[in-house]
């Protein structure tokens, strides 16, 4: 097995977990360890591998920042699984309370050959509630001579009581670049010729798991002299990128007939429609990257594919491509639960080939927004018109215009118009009431302004009145 053969034996050989390694190496350097570790993250990213390296490093007589020496007595006994002080429990198959009780009772005894007793519990999230309870006490107050390393792909299933007692290390998915380099190293080592694009394809299919990448590679190289892209596609039943390109081209050209023919052809050839949707989404992601970078983005399918795809999409606006992505993402969800995935595929891809559906709905939205803006503006101005009645002065006075009074539409009627345009029933809520009150306020302040305007005319009379009443003031 390639995965077991090339399983790293020290920190130096581990790839893609640099952040976790920095801390662990420091602990080895200082010979200071936590009593319980919780390694959590994506499968196949090296949790158990690093747990074993750490276990040996803790007990190794010549440990360095690279990890254990793998040669001393302690290392050899652990590598051969020949010591009772090193226990590995697979909680996927040993998850009962009795399994844990047995493990816990063994922690009472001092180690026989090693410095510390190490317990690795793999897939720990599978433990039953009572098994977790039985483990909790020991994890809370572990004996000096014991160290626990728990591994899980599902951190959320670990009870908070256990999590809070452990130092948690998060393991990230391995990047395609790192997997590519590791695969190249392994294939060179076993002297197997390969195509670089084939390696990239395997790395992509492994979905962040180094173990999967090596297992896929191993399965394929058994049946071929040279690892080629064609071999990988056939072995993994992958769809041709050419088919994706053709469908995207037909969609972009708004050619419904070609789109239907291509779907029909792939359906007749027994292609998995869910894979087709995945493939189309990948191609569209590449398209987005290429449009956004004017064709300069590095994508995993380089060469001719990249040129062809860019030629198809370079004139297309990004929002249209995003609309395609939305449609095909919905299609992918629908396919999962549909009784007739073929029909769903036809419907969604034909919709993609008719972007005027998008344009029409957008136009409709824009029209509604325009109408609403007009109405809101009208409501804001209400029964006022702004007039500069002193053109030679910088001051502006707001006066009431008779003309506006005629045009004034009561707020209730304006809301009815808004309801008609938006097709949404507006409830008699506080906001609406507030709007009505605002308009009423404006109307009353209008009267105030009108009185102010008349004030000048009344000025003379006011003087007279003041004289008349001066005796009384
Ligand atoms: Zn050693």
């Amino acid at each position: 097995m390639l995965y077991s053969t090339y399983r790293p034996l020290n920190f130096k050989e581990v790839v893609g977990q640099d952040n976790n390694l920095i801390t662990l190496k420091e602990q080895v350097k200082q010979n200071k360890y936590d009593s319980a570790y919780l390694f959590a993250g994506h499968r196949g990213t090296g949790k158990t591998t690093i747990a074993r390296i750490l276990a040996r490093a803790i007990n190794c007589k010549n440990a360095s920042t690279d990890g254990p020496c793998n040669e001393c007595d302690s290392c050899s006994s652990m590598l051969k699984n020949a010591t009772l002080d090193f226990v590995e429990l697979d909680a996927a198959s040993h998850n009962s309370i009795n399994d844990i009780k047995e493990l816990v009772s063994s922690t009472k005894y001092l180690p026989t050959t090693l410095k510390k007793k190490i317990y690795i519990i793999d897939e720990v999230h599978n433990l039953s509630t009572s098994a977790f309870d039985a483990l909790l006490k020991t994890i809370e107050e572990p004996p000096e001579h014991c160290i626990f390393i728990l591994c899980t792909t599902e951190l959320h299933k670990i009870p908070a009581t256990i999590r809070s007692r452990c130092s948690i290390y998060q393991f990230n998915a391995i990047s395609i670049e790192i997997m590519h380099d590791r695969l190249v190293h392994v294939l060179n080592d076993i002297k197997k010729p390969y195509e670089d694009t084939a390696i990239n394809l395997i790395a992509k299919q492994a979905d962040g798991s180094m173990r999967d990448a090596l297992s896929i590679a191993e399965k394929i190289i058994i049946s071929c002299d040279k690892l080629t892209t064609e071999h990988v596609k056939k072995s993994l039943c992958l769809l041709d990128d050419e088919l994706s390109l053709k469908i995207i081209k037909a969609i972009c050209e708004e050619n419904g007939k070609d789109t239907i023919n291509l779907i029909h052809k792939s359906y007749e050839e027994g292609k998995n429609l869910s894979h087709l949707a995945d493939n189309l989404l990948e191609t569209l992601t590449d398209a987005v990257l290429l449009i956004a970078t004017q064709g300069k983005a590095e994508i995993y399918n380089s060469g001719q594919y990249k040129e062809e795809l860019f030629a198809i999409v370079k004139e297309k606006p990004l929002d249209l491509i995003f609309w395609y992505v939305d449609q095909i993402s919905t299609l992918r969800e629908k396919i999962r639960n549909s009784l007739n995935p073929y029909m769903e595929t036809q419907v969604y891809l034909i919709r993609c080939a008719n972007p005027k559906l998008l344009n029409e709905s957008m136009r409709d939205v824009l029209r509604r927004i325009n109408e609403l803006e007009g109405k809101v503006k009208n409501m804001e101005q209400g029964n006022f018109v702004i007039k500069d009645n002193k053109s030679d002065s910088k001051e502006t006075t707001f006066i009431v215009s008779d003309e506006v009074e005629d045009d004034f539409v009561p707020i209730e009627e304006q809301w009815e118009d808004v309801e008609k345009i938006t097709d949404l029933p507006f409830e008699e809520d506080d906001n609406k009431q507030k709007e009505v009150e605002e308009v009423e306020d404006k109307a009353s302040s209008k009267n105030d302004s009108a009185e102010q305007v008349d004030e000048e005319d009344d000025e003379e009379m006011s003087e007279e009145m003041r004289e008349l009443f001066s005796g009384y003031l």
Side-chain angles (χ1 to χ4, degrees), residues 334-429:
K334 294 252 177 184
I335 285 176
R336 274 190 201 149
N337 307 314
S338 173
L339 292 174
N340 194 343
Y342 177 54
M343 189 189 73
E344 300 282 2
T345 311
Q346 281 182 316
V347 168
Y348 276 86
L349 292 188
I350 286 297
R351 184 179 290 168
C352 287
N354 284 279
K356 62 174 182 287
L357 294 174
L358 164 74
N359 293 341
E360 271 171 13
S361 59
M362 282 305 289
R363 260 202 301 273
D364 193 39
V365 170
L366 285 174
R367 182 185 58 77
R368 287 178 176 198
I369 290 173
N370 273 341
E371 282 186 40
L372 275 171
E373 275 178 350
K375 290 285 171 190
V376 170
K377 210 171 172 185
N378 187 21
M379 284 161 70
E380 275 177 356
Q381 290 182 342
N383 49 350
F384 287 92
V385 151
I386 300 166
K387 272 191 183 173
D388 189 354
N389 67 335
K390 289 180 184 171
S391 53
D392 53 345
S393 135
K394 282 184 183 172
E395 286 175 32
T396 305
T397 310
F398 300 99
I399 61 157
V400 183
S401 152
D402 296 340
E403 169 199 339
V404 175
E405 282 200 21
D406 293 340
D407 288 350
F408 178 66
V409 182
I411 187 96
E412 292 83 357
E413 284 177 30
Q414 295 193 34
W415 273 113
E416 280 166 21
D417 285 351
V418 172
E419 284 176 20
K420 271 181 219 156
I421 296 165
T422 55
D423 295 334
L424 288 172
F426 280 88
E427 285 175 15
E428 290 276 344
D429 60 10

Side-chain angles (χ1 to χ4, degrees), residues 60-62 69-72 75:
C60 178
K61 286 162 185 158
N62 318 304
C69 71
N70 294 324
E71 283 168 4
C72 66
C75 286

Side-chain angles (χ1 to χ4, degrees), residues 192-377:
K192 193 80 176 175
Y194 57 85
E195 278 177 12
D196 210 51
T197 45
I199 305 269
N200 274 334
L201 200 52
I202 293 176
K204 219 168 151 187
Q205 292 304 311
D207 192 25
S209 164
M210 195 69 233
R211 181 172 54 217
D212 287 3
L214 286 167
S215 308
I216 294 171
E218 183 167 30
K219 251 186 256 166
I220 300 169
I221 55 178
I222 289 171
S223 57
C224 62
D225 296 329
K226 185 183 177 184
L227 186 68
T228 64
T229 309
E230 209 47 47
H231 263 108
V232 178
K233 279 182 187 165
K234 262 191 195 159
S235 309
L236 300 178
C237 301
L238 295 179
L239 289 161
D240 233 331
D241 290 326
E242 216 179 304
L243 175 66
S244 278
L245 271 181
K246 279 183 186 166
I247 293 179
I248 297 293
K249 187 166 185 263
I251 288 172
C252 286
E253 287 172 354
E254 299 177 24
N255 187 333
K257 194 180 159 200
D258 278 6
T259 309
I260 286 285
N261 286 342
L262 286 164
I263 304 167
H264 185 68
K265 194 170 161 247
S266 50
Y267 181 66
E268 273 195 338
E269 287 171 2
K271 302 248 162 81
N272 183 316
L273 292 173
S274 190
H275 286 175
L276 175 68
D278 283 346
N279 239 39
L280 288 173
L281 280 176
E282 279 173 22
T283 310
L284 287 171
T285 310
D286 290 341
V288 168
L289 293 175
L290 289 173
I291 295 172
T293 59
Q294 302 290 316
K296 290 186 186 107
E298 285 299 320
I299 55 175
Y300 293 104
N301 277 319
S302 41
Q304 206 187 341
Y305 164 90
K306 184 174 161 179
E307 279 171 28
E308 280 180 35
L309 179 60
F310 188 51
I312 294 168
V313 297
K314 67 179 172 189
E315 303 295 336
K316 298 285 171 190
L318 264 180
D319 57 350
L320 178 67
I321 306 288
F322 286 133
W323 182 67
Y324 293 156
V325 171
D326 280 348
Q327 295 301 313
I328 295 171
S329 301
T330 315
L331 166 67
R332 192 167 61 165
E333 288 303 310
K334 294 252 177 184
I335 285 176
R336 274 190 201 149
N337 307 314
S338 173
L339 292 174
N340 194 343
Y342 177 54
M343 189 189 73
E344 300 282 2
T345 311
Q346 281 182 316
V347 168
Y348 276 86
L349 292 188
I350 286 297
R351 184 179 290 168
C352 287
N354 284 279
K356 62 174 182 287
L357 294 174
L358 164 74
N359 293 341
E360 271 171 13
S361 59
M362 282 305 289
R363 260 202 301 273
D364 193 39
V365 170
L366 285 174
R367 182 185 58 77
R368 287 178 176 198
I369 290 173
N370 273 341
E371 282 186 40
L372 275 171
E373 275 178 350
K375 290 285 171 190
V376 170
K377 210 171 172 185

Side-chain angles (χ1 to χ4, degrees), residues 89-119:
L89 183 86
D90 182 6
S93 47
H94 299 85
N95 53 9
S96 72
I97 185 161
N98 288 337
D99 291 313
I100 295 301
K101 272 185 177 168
E102 199 179 309
L103 184 145
V104 166
S105 68
S106 75
T107 60
K108 285 183 225 151
Y109 308 106
L110 288 171
T112 49
T113 53
L114 303 177
K115 279 191 265 180
K116 298 263 187 188
K117 275 192 157 184
I118 312 279
Y119 294 88

